[in-house]
Amino acid sequence: MRCVAHILNLVVQDGIKKVYKSVEIIRWAVKWIRQSPSRIGKFTKFSKLVNPGTTKHLVRDVPTRWNSTYHMLNISQAYEKPFDRYDLEEYEFHSDIEKAGLSIPSPSDWQHVRHLCHFLKPFCDVTKRIFGTLYLTSNTCIEYIYSIGTLLDDAISDASFCDIALAMRVKFDKYFGDVEKMNLLLYFSLIIDPRNKVKYLVILLEDRYGKEKMDEKKKYIMDSMFELYNDYIRIHSPSTTSSTTESSNSSSILGKCHNPNATTPKPPLRNKLREKMKANIVESIGELEKYLKESVEEDSSMFNILDWWRVNSPRFPFLSLMAKDLFAIPVSTVASESVFSTSGRVFDPYRSSLTPKDC
């Protein structure tokens, strides 16, 4: 399973490159001001005089995390007038930015930043949802991915965002452009949500690929889903367990034989167990079809998908086992990675080393 958050980062970074000059100017200005408390104090003083309604603090970004760049730009664009005033009052700021080969943020730079923030707001919302650890994410991931594809399609027809959207579209299609390129478990998670089932899948596929290709994509997904359920039935069927135990017992008997080349007669129950296992597979396929034919559940804020499957697991024993595994899939590794990266912020080089006096 690819980390969806990392793919979104790659997609958005390609779009940011189209206005990279403006982003780099704002990034440098914020970094320069945040380098010392005295600079922050002077900038805060100018902000209260020029723009007293703004109370947010400037934040630096991590260039490899696009959402941190979004937050930096979104806060900075509210300080356009304080930045202009700071440039007039602080000569060192003006000279240092010229030495870096950049220029003072111009009105066109701020305009580019505002357009970019407006365009990236939905992407930021999706990223926050994907980061979640206290709720399910696998059953809604496909919907978020398709919504991003729709946003890019709409943006391509807009002259203000056309260049950015086209650059992002290339990377988006590389990972999410077709059903065959994606992990089908995400589609299975969508279907196994009783509020969606196949009806919602058909709506998404038709909106994304059109009526002509919708049936083909649907058949590919459903055939794969039935195939996966057959595997679950073979693994968890009681008949399979009995056959496995019987086979191991036969192997132990063979090990005790004096003649290893002697043929061992097949157990008389083997054929009956095989037929029973096949019957269980047919019955369980009917279980899946039964689930799909039932009406969808009403989507409300009080609906709890885990409670629904807990209550209905006796009706769908094999299906509930699949649902348990599908809903446990994390679509992003960012939450776990952030736990390990926290240590770098807690134990910095100064805090984790001793001075000669302390030795």
Side-chain angles (χ1 to χ4, degrees):
M1 178 70 69
R2 295 190 182 104
C3 177
V4 179
H6 288 173
I7 296 176
L8 280 180
N9 181 63
L10 296 176
V11 171
V12 178
Q13 290 290 356
D14 284 2
I16 291 177
K17 290 178 182 177
K18 291 297 179 180
V19 289
Y20 182 76
K21 190 67 174 180
S22 299
V23 174
E24 184 63 20
I25 289 173
I26 305 300
R27 177 183 289 133
W28 190 96
V30 172
K31 178 182 177 180
W32 193 90
I33 292 173
R34 295 276 303 174
Q35 280 181 342
S36 70
S38 61
R39 294 175 182 177
I40 295 175
K42 290 180 180 179
F43 186 82
T44 303
K45 178 182 177 181
F46 294 143
S47 300
K48 290 180 179 180
L49 294 174
V50 180
N51 198 6
T54 304
T55 57
K56 294 182 179 180
H57 300 286
L58 293 176
V59 294
R60 293 180 59 179
D61 72 324
V62 180
T64 55
R65 293 185 182 179
W66 81 266
N67 54 321
S68 68
T69 303
Y70 167 79
H71 290 305
M72 179 199 69
L73 297 175
N74 191 41
I75 294 175
S76 299
Q77 52 120 1
Y79 288 96
E80 178 180 356
K81 293 181 179 178
F83 269 109
D84 293 339
R85 177 67 180 270
Y86 196 83
D87 174 46
L88 296 174
E89 300 288 341
E90 192 68 30
Y91 174 76
E92 187 180 1
F93 174 72
H94 188 91
S95 62
D96 286 352
I97 198 170
E98 289 183 347
K99 291 178 183 178
L102 302 174
S103 59
I104 302 300
S106 64
S108 62
D109 291 326
W110 291 114
Q111 188 68 18
H112 290 156
V113 166
R114 288 192 180 91
H115 281 196
L116 186 63
C117 289
H118 176 75
F119 177 64
L120 296 182
K121 178 65 166 62
F123 293 84
C124 185
D125 296 338
V126 170
T127 303
K128 287 181 180 178
R129 293 292 301 175
I130 292 173
F131 283 173
T133 57
L134 300 180
Y135 50 83
L136 299 180
T137 54
S138 61
N139 61 320
T140 57
C141 186
I142 287 293
E143 183 179 359
Y144 291 140
I145 291 173
Y146 277 30
S147 65
I148 289 175
T150 302
L151 286 172
L152 292 177
D153 291 339
D154 295 339
I156 290 174
S157 58
D158 189 339
S160 302
F161 308 114
C162 182
D163 293 340
I164 300 174
L166 285 173
M168 296 170 67
R169 184 81 215 187
V170 174
K171 187 60 65 69
F172 180 87
D173 289 341
K174 178 180 178 181
Y175 295 100
F176 300 135
D178 204 348
V179 172
E180 288 77 6
K181 297 180 180 179
M182 301 171 64
N183 194 320
L184 292 180
L185 294 179
L186 296 177
Y187 287 98
F188 301 162
S189 299
L190 177 79
I191 296 171
I192 213 67
D193 189 332
R195 297 167 294 181
N196 300 328
K197 300 189 178 181
V198 180
K199 294 181 179 179
Y200 191 53
L201 174 67
V202 169
I203 294 174
L204 291 176
L205 292 177
E206 184 175 339
D207 182 67
R208 188 77 191 91
Y209 301 104
K211 292 184 179 180
E212 296 78 10
K213 294 184 178 180
M214 183 270 294
D215 291 332
E216 176 187 349
K217 304 297 182 183
K218 174 188 171 185
K219 183 179 184 304
Y220 176 74
I221 294 171
M222 296 309 299
D223 288 348
S224 301
M225 188 172 186
F226 272 95
E227 183 179 351
L228 185 59
Y229 277 120
N230 289 340
D231 291 338
Y232 259 73
I233 295 164
R234 282 190 289 269
I235 294 171
H236 297 285
S237 174
S239 302
T240 306
T241 307
S242 301
S243 300
T244 305
T245 305
E246 182 181 327
S247 177
S248 63
N249 292 337
S250 300
S251 300
S252 62
I253 293 173
L254 278 174
K256 296 178 182 179
C257 291
H258 296 288
N259 184 8
N261 296 324
T263 58
T264 305
K266 293 183 179 180
L269 293 178
R270 180 179 294 274
N271 293 333
K272 291 183 179 180
L273 291 173
R274 294 280 184 184
E275 294 297 328
K276 187 176 180 181
M277 185 173 68
K278 292 180 180 178
N280 285 336
I281 292 175
V282 174
E283 179 183 352
S284 298
I285 292 177
E287 172 189 312
L288 174 57
E289 292 175 342
K290 178 183 177 182
Y291 166 79
L292 296 177
K293 289 180 180 179
E294 290 182 356
S295 59
V296 297
E297 295 291 331
E298 183 180 355
D299 188 9
S300 65
S301 58
M302 301 299 294
F303 182 83
N304 189 312
I305 187 172
L306 297 180
D307 288 343
W308 190 94
W309 275 105
R310 188 181 299 112
V311 171
N312 289 274
S313 58
R315 296 174 55 222
F316 308 111
F318 293 103
L319 209 57
S320 61
L321 292 174
M322 178 59 71
K324 185 186 298 184
D325 291 340
L326 289 175
F327 293 152
I329 298 174
V331 298
S332 170
T333 60
V334 173
S336 58
E337 289 173 358
S338 63
V339 174
F340 293 97
S341 63
T342 302
S343 59
R345 297 191 294 269
V346 175
F347 297 103
D348 57 26
Y350 300 101
R351 186 172 181 178
S352 59
S353 61
L354 297 175
T355 64
K357 295 181 180 180
D358 297 327
C359 296

